[in-house]
């Protein structure tokens, strides 16, 4: 376990440890005394136990670009309280609450008082297979008093205590967890927020038409029956632009496609399949997001 308490040096050491174990994050101290620790738990599972007091922990588009293939964080509040924000949703977490956040979109956790969480990465392909991504409710807690939160928390807390979980056992736990929380995180359309409806309709259209080279604001707006201005407002409310969203989706799908085919495919075919205008632009964008060229990523997938 890496633990820090006190001044600036301790804070810097703690966020360095967070980045090593959990991926790229930013953090800032908030009022009150800071303390923090983080440790890897759960054997083959990509899981960590984090203790924090007096800090905000967040991701902006810059950190998202530095991360690998974006997955989901399923976060379990174990002790204390925290606040989570994503895509306009804001939830106060107390012990036993569970929340899902998408690492491909900006989000923020705030911890003023002592807090402990277990954070488990749910791979995107599992969420896509078991859930409908366009209907997943992000940043909205599954309350501790629900049967689903109780069962899910017991499963994950028990898994965190076993350092000898192998890959097959870990995969079974991930599948079970995604299936278990499914009823609680499938969102209903909130009629009180017209921009929320626009965002969901637009995101679904983008994913269904990702191979269209001319996938731009006028095309999307016209296809879902809204104005370009409303479309921009909908994406702005989710802390991302339409062009950034399209680019992220294209890169994610390209990476998943290469991985699914074990690297045994022609990269030029991938470029045009997912709507990139040129191989050179694709290569630059891919390296900027995943930290390696498409060729190197392809080679790595072929070796695994």
């Amino acid at each position: 376990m890496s633990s820090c308490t006190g001044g600036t040096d301790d804070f810097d050491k703690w966020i360095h440890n967070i980045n090593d174990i959990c991926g790229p994050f930013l953090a800032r101290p908030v009022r009150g005394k800071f303390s923090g620790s983080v440790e890897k738990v759960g054997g083959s599972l990509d899981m960590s136990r984090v203790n924090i007091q007096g800090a905000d922990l967040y991701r902006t588009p810059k950190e998202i670009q530095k991360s690998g293939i974006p997955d989901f964080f399923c976060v379990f509040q174990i002790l204390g309280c925290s606040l989570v924000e994503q895509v306009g949703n804001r939830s106060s977490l107390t012990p036993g609450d569970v929340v899902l956040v998408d690492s491909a979109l900006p989000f923020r956790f705030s911890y003023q008082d002592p807090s402990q969480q277990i954070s488990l990465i749910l791979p995107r392909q599992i969420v896509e297979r078991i859930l409908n991504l366009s209907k997943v409710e992000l940043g909205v807690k599954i309350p501790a008093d629900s049967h689903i939160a109780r069962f899910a928390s017991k499963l994950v807390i028990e898994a965190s205590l076993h350092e000898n979980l192998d890959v097959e056992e870990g995969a079974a736990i991930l599948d079970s967890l995604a299936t278990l929380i499914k009823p609680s995180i499938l969102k209903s359309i909130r009629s009180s927020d017209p921009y929320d409806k626009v965002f969901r309709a637009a995101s679904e259209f983008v994913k269904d038409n990702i191979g269209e080279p001319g996938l731009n604001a006028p095309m999307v707006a016209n296809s879902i029956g809204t104005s370009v201005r409303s479309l921009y407002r909908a994406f702005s409310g989710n802390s991302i632009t339409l062009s950034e969203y399209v680019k992220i989706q294209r890169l994610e799908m390209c990476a998943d496609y290469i991985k699914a085919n074990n690297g045994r495919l022609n990269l030029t075919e991938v470029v045009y399949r997912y709507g990139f205008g040129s191989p050179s632009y694709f290569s630059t964008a891919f390296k900027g997001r995943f930290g390696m060229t498409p060729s190197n990523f392809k080679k790595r997938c072929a070796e695994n």
Side-chain angles (χ1 to χ4, degrees):
M1 180 194 300
S2 297
S3 179
C4 307
T5 304
T8 302
D9 290 343
D10 292 331
F11 183 84
D12 291 342
K13 181 180 178 182
W14 171 76
I15 187 58
H16 175 77
N17 292 332
I18 288 287
N19 288 332
D20 279 348
I21 295 175
C22 305
F25 278 89
L26 289 178
R28 66 180 182 85
V30 296
R31 64 178 180 82
K33 184 178 180 181
F34 164 77
S35 64
S37 66
V38 57
E39 62 177 325
K40 173 79 171 65
V41 295
S44 65
L45 291 169
D46 203 344
M47 182 191 297
S48 58
R49 183 182 291 110
V50 183
N51 291 280
I52 315 177
Q53 176 184 2
D56 282 354
L57 188 65
Y58 56 99
R59 272 188 174 175
T60 71
K62 185 175 181 180
E63 285 67 54
I64 292 169
Q65 289 180 354
K66 293 178 182 178
S67 62
I69 297 175
D71 296 309
F72 288 80
F73 290 101
C74 194
V75 179
F76 297 79
Q77 188 74 29
I78 306 300
L79 300 171
C81 301
S82 65
L83 183 69
V84 59
E85 300 173 83
Q86 188 170 53
V87 295
N89 295 326
R90 181 183 174 98
S91 296
S92 296
L93 304 180
T94 57
D97 291 340
V98 183
V99 69
L100 190 73
V101 295
D102 187 346
S103 70
L105 298 171
F107 64 90
R108 177 185 300 269
F109 278 93
S110 297
Y111 313 89
Q112 291 196 359
D113 300 317
S115 174
Q116 182 183 104
Q117 295 177 333
I118 292 178
S119 178
L120 172 64
I121 290 183
L122 271 178
R124 183 164 293 266
Q125 62 266 30
I126 291 179
V127 177
E128 289 176 338
R129 173 164 51 82
I130 296 177
L131 307 166
N132 184 333
L133 276 180
S134 65
K135 296 181 180 179
V136 171
E137 189 76 82
L138 302 169
V140 175
K141 71 180 179 182
I142 305 173
D145 59 1
S146 69
H147 294 304
I148 286 176
R150 289 176 185 148
F151 294 149
S153 294
K154 286 181 180 179
L155 174 65
V156 169
I157 291 173
E158 181 67 22
S160 73
L161 301 176
H162 296 276
E163 291 303 312
N164 59 346
L165 289 174
D166 61 29
V167 173
E168 289 186 358
E169 290 170 331
I173 290 172
L174 292 174
D175 273 4
S176 298
L177 178 62
T179 302
L180 182 60
I181 66 175
K182 180 177 180 178
S184 292
I185 61 174
L186 291 183
K187 57 190 172 185
S188 59
I189 302 296
R190 296 189 293 271
S191 59
S192 61
D193 186 356
Y195 292 123
D196 186 58
K197 293 181 181 180
V198 171
F199 178 80
R200 297 179 192 189
S203 62
E204 188 169 348
F205 179 82
V206 166
K207 293 168 187 174
D208 289 342
N209 297 273
I210 201 68
E212 289 290 335
L215 193 57
N216 55 24
M219 174 193 285
V220 175
N222 182 64
S223 299
I224 66 173
T226 191
S227 67
V228 171
R229 184 177 182 183
S230 293
L231 186 67
Y232 285 148
R233 285 185 174 179
F235 277 83
S236 176
N238 286 278
S239 304
I240 195 169
T241 66
L242 174 64
S243 61
E244 287 173 342
Y245 184 82
V246 170
K247 181 180 177 182
I248 287 171
Q249 292 301 317
R250 281 178 169 155
L251 290 169
E252 287 177 14
M253 291 183 182
C254 284
D256 287 344
Y257 187 62
I258 294 170
K259 190 174 182 180
N261 286 274
N262 299 317
R264 300 184 182 91
L265 39 68
N266 188 310
L267 286 177
T268 301
E269 182 254 333
V270 177
V271 169
Y272 295 108
R273 180 186 183 94
Y274 291 100
F276 284 98
S278 72
S280 60
Y281 173 71
F282 167 67
S283 181
T284 300
F286 193 96
K287 185 174 182 180
R289 182 158 185 79
F290 300 118
M292 67 181 75
T293 66
S295 297
N296 288 338
F297 182 79
K298 174 184 171 182
K299 182 179 180 181
R300 177 177 294 185
C301 290
E303 291 171 348
N304 292 336

